[in-house]
Amino acid sequence: MTERERRILPICLAAFIAAALLPLADDGYWLALGISVVMYTTLATSWALFSGPTHYISLATAAFFGVGMYTVGAWVGLLPFPVLVLIAGLLGAALAAVVGLATLRLSGVYFVIFTLGLAELARQVVSWVQTTMGTSSGLYVLTDITEPIIYWSLLALAAVIYLIGWRIGRSRLGFALRIIGNDEVVAVHCGIGTARAKVILFVVSGCLAAVIGAIMAPRFAYVTPTQAFSPMLSFQVVIMALLGGAHRLWGPLLGVIPFTIVLDLIAANFPNQTALLLGGAFLLIVYFIPNGVAGLIENGLRRGRSRA
Amino acid sequence: MTGGAPALAVRDVTKAFSGLVAVDAMTFDLAENEVMGLIGPNGSGKTTMINLISGAFGPNSGSIQLYGDDIAGASATAIARKGIARTFQIVRILPSLTVLENVAAGGVFGHRRRWGRELEEEARHLLDKVGLEVSGGAPVSALTYIDQKRVELARALIGDPRVLLLDEWLAGLNPTELKTGIALIEALRGEGRTILIVEHVMHAIRSLCDRCVVMNSGAKIAEGTPAEVLADKEVIRAYLGDDDA
Ligand SMILES: Nc1ncnc2c1ncn2[C@@H]1O[C@H](COP(=O)(O)OP(=O)(O)O)[C@@H](O)[C@H]1O
Ligand SMILES: [Mg+2]
């Protein structure tokens, strides 16, 4: 641990404990908002684990999230919930491995399109299976898991994700990913197995998104493919991560907090224009703050230091 | 183990890009501890030859051996791990990494691998050796062109390569920098490094190279000491164009 990390650690722990106390203070609106914030934080941070250093924009979040949700939907009542979460993680990882091996050799644009198509394909397949094999268009997820438990589970997962990210950042794998993100040609000539490095990170990221989907499932008593595999979710995660700054572990968090609150306001006041406003926000972010809030803060600090 | 095989043995290597034969049945050896020049007019296929040796792409036919080990068509990753390092004609640095990290990049996954303190010390040592006088934590994009080239050379050296490929490493330097650059390669040669250099600067070739291979339109047209090949009629014709010969 570096000197700086040792100084920051107590602050992180304090913030974490404070966040964990939220359900004791309120179990209505604020807890619901808290769940949204932590869910998007975990999703956007695990998305950025892969996409931050590689600059590959994945729109497959909804595919993994949906797989997680449906894992719970399909076997709830048959297996204990923690086991379902574990299975969801394994399925998400397996799906990411297959997709990663097939697509990570593709260049940027093809990858984006493929991942978007993947979520759509998953949605169609699940709908088809449901309507032909079963009779309903969704699955009931009836558990005794309450909102505070969901919130705490997500919060614990967030801690795990930050630990994973911190560990990767100090590892050879993390270094390899940063080199790949800078110049893939240099990376291969330095002896980096680029496909392997990218697939590993994609698997980690896909696995986490599936786990998040599984944890969220009990919140919806009834899950449908449209809800579980919503492309909107993938876009929101990308926007939040970029708004915050995908090149830093703590970046996405800075995007999630303002965005979730604004999104909540938009959805409450302009329910029909959500997609439009979301698209507009995306354009503004990419254009005006390409390195996100984290980039703005870093520039500010640098300028402050050079002036001092 | 190496059993007297040359460091690099290139045999009948051909590479075509949709009809255009960029490298045409090239054959040459590079001996251990030798510094060899690969020269020829623009577009004669030198960079393509470097790309084939370093695995940027595979040849259509022919064989390339590193100490007897066939590497033709292997991935660039595999070839880097076996000990071939290179620089690029148009310098390629890693803009978001620090100077020190740029150098370290070559010493973690390739031929000779280090990590942690040992890696950092070696990176510093190499920065010193290539004559870079900036702090290792500086952003690499702030460097001058020659300093970026130095960083690239240090990145190639940190993996302790068995064969080093330099693609016009001296190009674009002013006369003072050129002198420093030549001295630097001279020092590498003094260490017994095995180097293939693509170069246009004739006096650098004369002073640095034991032997030269000359290419024109993808094919080898001459081979010998620098003095021999530079006096060769066909070489002169290739460089000056048919009209002047
Ligand atoms: N990747 C490529 N795709 C298509 N043509 C190429 C490629 N690389 C090189 N060439 C062509 O091959 C020929 C040799 O180029 P090159 O090896 O760069 O020559 P040199 O380095 O000797 O100047 C040129 O005609 C060039 O246009
Ligand atoms: Mg060239």
XYZ file of all heavy atoms in Angstrom, chain B residues 104-159:
431
model
N 9.156 0.403 -18.756
C 8.847 -0.825 -18.031
C 7.953 -1.759 -18.855
O 8.046 -2.983 -18.725
C 8.168 -0.490 -16.703
N 7.112 -1.177 -19.715
C 6.175 -1.972 -20.519
C 6.875 -3.106 -21.254
O 6.314 -4.188 -21.433
C 5.461 -1.068 -21.516
N 8.125 -2.860 -21.670
C 8.838 -3.881 -22.424
C 9.471 -4.963 -21.550
O 9.998 -5.947 -22.070
N 9.421 -4.783 -20.234
C 10.187 -5.686 -19.372
C 9.353 -6.556 -18.460
O 9.861 -7.082 -17.459
N 8.067 -6.718 -18.770
C 7.196 -7.467 -17.863
C 6.671 -8.759 -18.494
O 6.520 -9.784 -17.842
C 5.985 -6.599 -17.439
C 5.114 -7.332 -16.428
C 6.464 -5.279 -16.852
N 6.403 -8.707 -19.794
C 5.693 -9.823 -20.425
C 6.521 -10.508 -21.498
O 6.085 -11.475 -22.106
C 4.404 -9.304 -21.068
C 3.622 -8.386 -20.177
C 3.778 -7.005 -20.251
C 2.748 -8.905 -19.236
C 3.069 -6.157 -19.415
C 2.026 -8.066 -18.403
C 2.193 -6.684 -18.487
N 7.707 -9.978 -21.776
C 8.446 -10.446 -22.938
C 9.493 -11.493 -22.621
O 9.229 -12.480 -21.935
N 10.698 -11.244 -23.110
C 11.766 -12.230 -23.047
C 12.353 -12.345 -21.644
O 12.358 -13.400 -21.038
C 12.844 -11.825 -24.060
C 13.998 -12.762 -24.098
N 15.289 -12.330 -23.927
C 14.052 -14.095 -24.267
C 16.105 -13.374 -24.001
N 15.365 -14.445 -24.210
N 12.824 -11.212 -21.115
C 13.325 -11.190 -19.742
C 12.282 -10.446 -18.935
O 11.960 -9.310 -19.234
C 14.677 -10.457 -19.724
C 15.218 -10.121 -18.355
C 15.831 -11.341 -17.700
N 16.697 -10.954 -16.591
C 16.256 -10.756 -15.348
N 14.978 -10.862 -15.064
N 17.110 -10.424 -14.397
N 11.739 -11.097 -17.894
C 10.625 -10.498 -17.169
C 11.010 -10.059 -15.762
O 11.674 -10.803 -15.048
C 9.478 -11.494 -17.070
C 8.977 -11.903 -18.418
C 8.022 -13.056 -18.299
N 7.561 -13.418 -19.632
C 6.437 -14.055 -19.862
N 5.672 -14.432 -18.862
N 6.097 -14.336 -21.095
N 10.559 -8.878 -15.418
C 10.787 -8.369 -14.074
C 9.499 -7.728 -13.585
O 8.605 -7.444 -14.357
C 11.876 -7.298 -14.079
C 13.248 -7.786 -14.489
C 14.193 -6.601 -14.511
N 15.580 -6.987 -14.665
C 16.198 -7.114 -15.836
N 15.537 -6.907 -16.948
N 17.471 -7.451 -15.884
N 9.449 -7.443 -12.279
C 8.277 -6.772 -11.709
C 8.699 -6.049 -10.446
O 9.743 -6.363 -9.872
C 7.183 -7.807 -11.427
C 5.865 -7.220 -10.980
C 5.258 -7.397 -9.769
C 4.990 -6.379 -11.743
N 4.069 -6.712 -9.743
C 3.878 -6.071 -10.930
C 5.044 -5.838 -13.040
C 2.824 -5.264 -11.359
C 3.998 -5.031 -13.458
C 2.896 -4.755 -12.640
N 7.896 -5.093 -10.032
C 8.144 -4.406 -8.764
C 9.403 -3.567 -8.785
O 9.717 -2.924 -9.778
N 10.112 -3.614 -7.670
C 11.278 -2.764 -7.500
C 12.352 -3.081 -8.540
O 12.976 -2.177 -9.110
C 11.833 -2.973 -6.090
C 13.076 -2.155 -5.868
C 13.611 -2.312 -4.461
N 13.602 -1.045 -3.799
C 12.895 -0.747 -2.726
N 12.121 -1.645 -2.190
N 12.961 0.443 -2.187
N 12.534 -4.362 -8.799
C 13.566 -4.785 -9.747
C 13.305 -4.198 -11.133
O 14.207 -3.717 -11.816
C 13.556 -6.317 -9.814
C 14.822 -6.928 -10.348
C 14.596 -8.383 -10.761
O 13.545 -8.963 -10.396
O 15.460 -8.934 -11.453
N 12.015 -4.204 -11.529
C 11.617 -3.645 -12.820
C 11.889 -2.146 -12.852
O 12.441 -1.620 -13.814
C 10.126 -3.912 -13.049
C 9.509 -3.293 -14.307
C 10.058 -3.960 -15.553
C 7.987 -3.425 -14.273
N 11.519 -1.467 -11.787
C 11.688 -0.023 -11.740
C 13.166 0.348 -11.810
O 13.552 1.272 -12.530
C 11.048 0.525 -10.466
C 10.955 2.030 -10.495
C 10.263 2.607 -9.271
O 9.336 1.943 -8.752
O 10.662 3.703 -8.844
N 13.987 -0.403 -11.078
C 15.420 -0.110 -11.103
C 15.999 -0.294 -12.493
O 16.784 0.518 -12.966
C 16.157 -1.013 -10.100
C 16.217 -0.386 -8.721
C 16.600 -1.383 -7.638
O 17.132 -2.465 -7.986
O 16.355 -1.082 -6.459
N 15.574 -1.371 -13.147
C 16.084 -1.637 -14.485
C 15.616 -0.551 -15.463
O 16.381 -0.111 -16.321
C 15.618 -3.025 -14.949
C 16.191 -3.483 -16.273
C 17.698 -3.667 -16.261
O 18.287 -3.736 -15.157
O 18.303 -3.723 -17.352
N 14.371 -0.120 -15.313
C 13.848 0.936 -16.196
C 14.651 2.219 -16.003
O 15.017 2.886 -16.968
C 12.364 1.163 -15.922
N 14.938 2.548 -14.754
C 15.748 3.746 -14.483
C 17.145 3.611 -15.069
O 17.682 4.548 -15.665
C 15.863 3.979 -12.970
C 14.639 4.626 -12.395
C 14.850 5.096 -10.968
N 13.570 5.247 -10.303
C 12.718 6.236 -10.555
N 13.024 7.163 -11.434
N 11.557 6.290 -9.940
N 17.691 2.442 -14.886
C 19.032 2.179 -15.408
C 19.061 2.376 -16.924
O 19.980 2.998 -17.467
C 19.430 0.748 -15.025
C 20.633 0.233 -15.725
N 21.891 0.744 -15.497
C 20.781 -0.725 -16.670
C 22.761 0.117 -16.276
N 22.117 -0.775 -17.001
N 18.017 1.884 -17.606
C 17.994 2.003 -19.063
C 17.738 3.430 -19.521
O 18.301 3.870 -20.523
C 16.956 1.047 -19.655
C 17.511 -0.365 -19.753
C 16.421 -1.370 -19.999
C 18.556 -0.450 -20.856
N 16.916 4.151 -18.790
C 16.687 5.560 -19.132
C 18.010 6.305 -19.081
O 18.322 7.136 -19.938
C 15.705 6.195 -18.146
C 14.233 5.943 -18.419
C 13.374 6.590 -17.339
C 13.851 6.504 -19.781
N 18.791 5.971 -18.067
C 20.096 6.568 -17.909
C 20.993 6.194 -19.081
O 21.670 7.027 -19.676
C 20.672 6.023 -16.591
C 21.813 6.875 -16.111
O 21.679 8.102 -16.204
O 22.827 6.301 -15.677
N 20.933 4.925 -19.435
C 21.790 4.417 -20.489
C 21.475 5.042 -21.855
O 22.381 5.338 -22.630
C 21.583 2.903 -20.567
C 22.456 2.191 -21.541
C 22.409 0.735 -21.171
C 22.920 -0.140 -22.256
N 22.882 -1.544 -21.814
N 20.191 5.253 -22.157
C 19.861 5.862 -23.441
C 19.968 7.384 -23.371
O 19.654 8.083 -24.331
C 18.448 5.461 -23.947
C 18.354 3.972 -24.159
C 17.368 5.942 -22.999
N 20.402 7.881 -22.228
C 20.713 9.297 -22.123
C 19.510 10.201 -21.927
O 19.510 11.348 -22.360
N 18.482 9.690 -21.265
C 17.307 10.523 -21.044
C 17.419 11.189 -19.684
O 17.515 10.522 -18.665
C 16.046 9.664 -21.112
C 14.790 10.451 -21.379
C 14.800 10.992 -22.790
C 13.576 9.574 -21.180
N 17.375 12.515 -19.705
C 17.583 13.228 -18.448
C 16.312 13.883 -17.944
O 16.295 15.057 -17.626
C 18.680 14.279 -18.620
C 20.059 13.658 -18.728
C 21.049 14.585 -19.403
O 20.636 15.681 -19.850
O 22.227 14.216 -19.489
N 15.216 13.143 -17.905
C 14.014 13.696 -17.291
C 13.623 12.763 -16.163
O 14.086 11.639 -16.098
C 12.832 13.799 -18.294
C 13.179 14.732 -19.409
C 12.444 12.430 -18.804
N 12.755 13.237 -15.293
C 12.328 12.366 -14.211
C 11.394 11.305 -14.789
O 10.602 11.594 -15.679
C 11.624 13.170 -13.121
O 10.252 13.266 -13.405
N 11.531 10.095 -14.277
C 10.772 8.970 -14.814
C 9.277 9.123 -14.681
O 8.504 8.511 -15.412
N 8.836 9.990 -13.737
C 7.401 10.133 -13.515
C 6.751 11.121 -14.461
O 5.539 11.291 -14.455
N 7.561 11.769 -15.300
C 7.019 12.784 -16.204
C 6.110 12.138 -17.241
O 6.301 10.984 -17.609
C 8.166 13.515 -16.894
N 5.094 12.898 -17.731
C 4.261 12.350 -18.809
C 5.081 12.262 -20.090
O 5.879 13.153 -20.388
C 3.123 13.358 -18.947
C 3.650 14.621 -18.365
C 4.658 14.240 -17.324
N 4.898 11.199 -20.818
C 5.767 10.918 -21.954
C 5.467 11.839 -23.138
O 6.325 12.106 -23.977
C 5.655 9.430 -22.337
C 4.374 9.171 -23.078
C 6.854 8.966 -23.101
N 4.243 12.372 -23.171
C 3.864 13.210 -24.319
C 4.611 14.544 -24.312
O 4.669 15.227 -25.325
C 2.356 13.451 -24.307
O 1.931 13.743 -22.997
N 5.195 14.903 -23.170
C 5.925 16.175 -23.090
C 7.339 16.054 -23.661
O 8.049 17.043 -23.763
C 5.983 16.634 -21.637
N 7.749 14.849 -24.036
C 9.130 14.661 -24.489
C 9.342 15.145 -25.925
O 8.424 15.151 -26.726
C 9.499 13.172 -24.430
C 9.508 12.507 -23.060
C 9.958 11.058 -23.205
C 10.411 13.255 -22.100
N 10.585 15.498 -26.226
C 10.937 15.834 -27.605
C 11.001 14.541 -28.414
O 11.001 13.445 -27.856
C 12.319 16.502 -27.671
O 13.267 15.567 -27.158
C 12.360 17.769 -26.854
N 11.091 14.715 -29.745
C 11.075 13.538 -30.615
C 12.221 12.578 -30.304
O 12.022 11.374 -30.159
C 11.123 13.996 -32.080
C 10.885 12.887 -33.059
C 9.640 12.263 -33.130
C 11.889 12.455 -33.914
C 9.401 11.244 -34.025
C 11.660 11.429 -34.815
C 10.420 10.827 -34.873
O 10.194 9.814 -35.766
N 13.422 13.097 -30.170
C 14.551 12.189 -29.919
C 14.396 11.509 -28.558
O 14.722 10.330 -28.409
C 15.934 12.879 -30.020
C 17.021 11.827 -29.806
C 16.090 14.026 -29.034
C 18.429 12.238 -30.044
N 13.847 12.229 -27.597
C 13.657 11.599 -26.291
C 12.605 10.490 -26.358
O 12.716 9.461 -25.689
C 13.291 12.650 -25.241
C 14.526 13.422 -24.784
O 15.652 12.976 -25.110
O 14.375 14.472 -24.131
N 11.578 10.703 -27.194
C 10.593 9.632 -27.381
C 11.263 8.422 -28.028
O 10.973 7.273 -27.694
C 9.434 10.120 -28.248
C 8.641 11.223 -27.562
C 7.344 11.561 -28.275
O 7.089 11.085 -29.373
N 6.526 12.372 -27.650
N 12.166 8.693 -28.957
C 12.880 7.578 -29.585
C 13.760 6.861 -28.566
O 13.913 5.639 -28.605
C 13.735 8.104 -30.745
C 12.900 8.592 -31.907
C 13.644 8.449 -33.201
C 12.670 8.065 -34.313
N 13.305 7.600 -35.516
N 14.326 7.619 -27.654
C 15.132 7.014 -26.600
C 14.282 6.103 -25.729
O 14.687 5.009 -25.361
C 15.746 8.099 -25.724
C 16.885 8.826 -26.377
C 17.401 9.887 -25.417
N 18.770 10.216 -25.687
C 19.212 11.462 -25.876
N 18.369 12.470 -25.804
N 20.486 11.672 -26.102
N 13.079 6.610 -25.390
C 12.166 5.811 -24.570
C 11.834 4.502 -25.282
O 11.838 3.425 -24.687
C 10.875 6.602 -24.271
C 9.795 5.700 -23.710
C 11.173 7.730 -23.297
N 11.588 4.620 -26.570
C 11.240 3.426 -27.341
C 12.408 2.429 -27.364
O 12.212 1.220 -27.254
C 10.865 3.844 -28.764
C 9.793 2.970 -29.356
C 9.554 3.270 -30.818
O 10.468 3.771 -31.502
O 8.457 2.974 -31.296
N 13.603 2.948 -27.484
C 14.778 2.068 -27.487
C 14.940 1.395 -26.124
O 15.198 0.192 -26.044
C 16.034 2.867 -27.850
C 17.332 2.073 -27.910
C 17.248 0.964 -28.952
C 18.523 2.986 -28.230
N 14.759 2.176 -25.069
C 14.869 1.605 -23.725
C 13.808 0.525 -23.520
O 14.066 -0.514 -22.912
C 14.720 2.700 -22.674
N 12.608 0.753 -24.050
C 11.532 -0.228 -23.942
C 11.899 -1.526 -24.657
O 11.557 -2.619 -24.209
C 10.249 0.360 -24.542
C 9.034 -0.527 -24.410
C 7.796 0.182 -24.916
N 7.763 0.234 -26.360
C 7.142 1.193 -27.056
N 6.500 2.167 -26.438
N 7.158 1.185 -28.368
N 12.612 -1.387 -25.789
C 13.032 -2.583 -26.513
C 14.158 -3.305 -25.767
O 14.242 -4.524 -25.783
C 13.482 -2.216 -27.922
N 15.018 -2.549 -25.096
C 16.186 -3.152 -24.454
C 15.874 -3.810 -23.118
O 16.576 -4.725 -22.699
C 17.265 -2.076 -24.234
C 17.998 -1.600 -25.487
C 18.873 -0.402 -25.152
C 18.843 -2.738 -26.079
N 14.828 -3.356 -22.451
C 14.597 -3.814 -21.082
C 14.252 -5.306 -21.026
O 14.456 -5.959 -20.010
C 13.524 -2.952 -20.368
C 13.593 -3.172 -18.855
C 12.149 -3.228 -20.909
C 12.753 -2.201 -18.058
N 13.779 -5.854 -22.123
C 13.495 -7.286 -22.159
C 14.724 -8.116 -22.510
O 14.615 -9.309 -22.757
